[in-house]
Amino acid sequence: MTVFKRFVGKRVLVTGAGTGFGSAIARRAGLEGARVGVHYYSSEAGAERTAQQIRDMGAEASIFQADISSWDAVKAMAEACFDEFGGLDVLVNNVGDIATEQMSWRDVTQELVDRVIDVDIKGTLYMIHEFGTRMMEQDEGGAIVNIGSTVVVRGSPRAPQYAAGKYGVMALTKSYARAFAPKVRVSAFAPGFMATESTVSREDWNTGRREAITAATPAGRVPTPDDLAVPALFLATPEASHMIGSYVIADGGRSTVGA
């Protein structure tokens, strides 16, 4: 498959890039020529692995650690990133807490609600605000891609707080898109189910849910993170310059949203 070098000379930071979809996005950005910032909170070994894979491709990679639910930690990471890279062209806000261990709405607790809201809404806001403010000061501006979810269409009977968190991401995307346009483009990419490590290890995934999801998806398959890293990064390219405040769904047709 031909790899188009869409990010040669660009500086890209991906949050939650130690594992899963974040790692796939970071690796793809490196494959396409970017200098990549690999953020992690607790998965240091995963971040090191992702960074080394990027370096093995011949690209540059730096690692940044922060708890994005802390505004002070986000400020510190923004300063460190801009100092090391001399600026930033693309931010991908991939981090999101999906309460993986929760199997039913009956299992909701205040701790789980607080954890998801702190990361998905507060953390995303802090990241957009701090990094976007600095991008606005650059001559070349920048692009921010927030990773959303199709739960904004279908809801989540398993984890309602997760759906609420992703609705919050949609609102933040539209709000900052209008605030920052046209210098910094803010948009969101919403994947459906992916065969990530955390998904395929879940109890419900291995007791019939995988088959049910596949059967309900017109594309007839559940994609890997690598499959969806390419369209996610498209939103940060010049070709997507008129896509501002967009919420782009890529779920194999499962949601089939109308006008």
Side-chain angles (χ1 to χ4, degrees), residues 67-193:
D67 174 2
I68 71 162
S69 68
S70 163
W71 201 328
D72 286 341
V74 170
K75 287 180 181 178
M77 180 169 66
E79 290 298 325
C81 180
F82 275 74
D83 284 347
E84 181 160 343
F85 284 180
L88 190 69
D89 301 293
V90 178
L91 167 65
V92 180
N93 282 317
N94 167 71
V95 165
D97 193 315
I98 65 174
T100 305
E101 71 277 21
Q102 184 178 325
M103 292 296 109
S104 167
W105 60 269
R106 297 180 186 275
D107 301 327
V108 174
T109 64
Q110 182 171 338
E111 180 185 4
L112 286 171
V113 171
D114 289 344
R115 196 179 80 191
V116 169
I117 298 306
D118 282 349
V119 174
D120 292 25
I121 297 182
K122 292 181 181 179
T124 302
L125 185 153
Y126 301 154
M127 289 295 298
I128 298 172
H129 194 92
E130 291 300 329
F131 282 83
T133 297
R134 289 163 176 77
M135 286 177 168
M136 290 285 284
E137 296 170 355
Q138 300 177 147
D139 290 340
E140 64 274 24
I144 297 174
V145 179
N146 301 318
I147 302 302
S149 170
T150 55
V151 294
V152 301
V153 179
R154 297 178 287 101
S156 176
R158 177 189 68 84
Q161 76 275 26
Y162 171 57
K166 289 304 183 182
Y167 264 99
V169 170
M170 180 165 62
L172 290 170
T173 298
K174 293 178 180 296
S175 298
Y176 277 102
R178 293 182 67 87
F180 289 167
K183 195 163 189 181
V184 175
R185 293 186 295 107
V186 184
S187 54
F189 179 78
F193 282 91

Side-chain angles (χ1 to χ4, degrees), residues 100-103 198-210:
T100 305
E101 71 277 21
Q102 184 178 325
M103 292 296 109
S198 62
T199 297
V200 300
S201 64
R202 271 171 37 182
E203 177 186 346
D204 61 343
W205 191 253
N206 294 295
T207 54
R209 196 173 192 199
R210 177 177 65 84

Side-chain angles (χ1 to χ4, degrees), residues 244-258:
I244 295 174
S246 300
Y247 201 91
V248 178
I249 290 176
D251 67 350
R254 184 163 181 252
S255 298
T256 52
V257 182

